[in-house]
Amino acid sequence: MSVVFIGDEHLAQEVLFKIKQWDDAIAKLDIYAISDLCERNMQVFDVSSQIEGVSEFKNLWQEYKPYFANNVRVYRKEIKIFVESDLAFMHCYAKVDHAESDKLLNLPWCRTTLCFQKNHGKWKIAHQHISVPQNLEKSY
């Protein structure tokens, strides 16, 4: 996984570690770990919804449970992490799919942005935005 760091590289490594924890929690659909990595008043702008607060976010993940199977993995590419003292954001292309390369479902790559805030020495996700790239010329 190639990553471009912009800003404080040491802090960017801390944020990258949080991203890896996030991806692991999503792959396991560990809703407690997912919510623990988020600010209480976090906001999400997703392909299908807009959510305010970690409790609503937990409810969204509960709805995803039927769609998650074993051997799930988060894939990311073109990762850039921008970081300063207590604020960071990462943007990339991402998708959730089977962990075994011969069983990939050919799901679309989503544009993903995670914004982090550092409070009391801990990085937490304060905002997430996900969108699906759309070629408007081919849509009509």
Side-chain angles (χ1 to χ4, degrees), residues 11-127:
L11 292 175
Q13 289 289 348
E14 291 178 7
V15 170
L16 182 60
F17 178 72
K18 286 296 173 188
I19 293 166
K20 289 178 181 178
Q21 287 181 316
W22 176 255
D23 290 350
D24 185 52
I26 290 172
K28 294 176 182 170
L29 198 57
D30 183 341
I31 295 171
Y32 175 78
I34 290 169
S35 62
D36 191 49
L37 291 164
C38 297
E39 288 285 341
R40 207 175 91 234
N41 60 350
M42 62 110 53
Q43 296 205 348
V44 176
F45 296 132
D46 204 330
V47 205
S48 61
S49 57
Q50 180 176 337
I51 294 170
E52 293 188 35
V54 74
S55 61
E56 281 187 42
F57 195 48
K58 285 166 50 173
N59 292 338
L60 177 68
W61 281 104
Q62 287 289 351
E63 292 177 25
Y64 290 157
K65 272 191 170 192
Y67 305 104
F68 270 68
N70 292 330
N71 296 324
V72 171
R73 178 179 163 201
V74 177
Y75 293 87
R76 296 190 186 277
K77 64 182 183 179
E78 298 181 34
I79 302 167
K80 289 185 181 175
I81 299 175
F82 302 80
V83 65
E84 290 301 326
S85 60
D86 61 353
L87 193 61
F89 70 92
M90 178 273 308
H91 66 80
C92 67
Y93 289 93
K95 70 177 177 172
V96 178
D97 209 334
H98 285 281
E100 299 157 9
S101 61
D102 61 332
K103 293 184 180 181
L104 293 181
L105 298 174
N106 200 25
L107 296 172
W109 288 92
C110 296
R111 290 180 296 234
T112 303
T113 302
L114 291 174
C115 299
F116 295 83
Q117 188 173 8
K118 193 172 192 177
N119 284 321
H120 306 292
K122 293 183 179 181
W123 289 104
K124 298 265 188 169
I125 296 172
H127 181 83

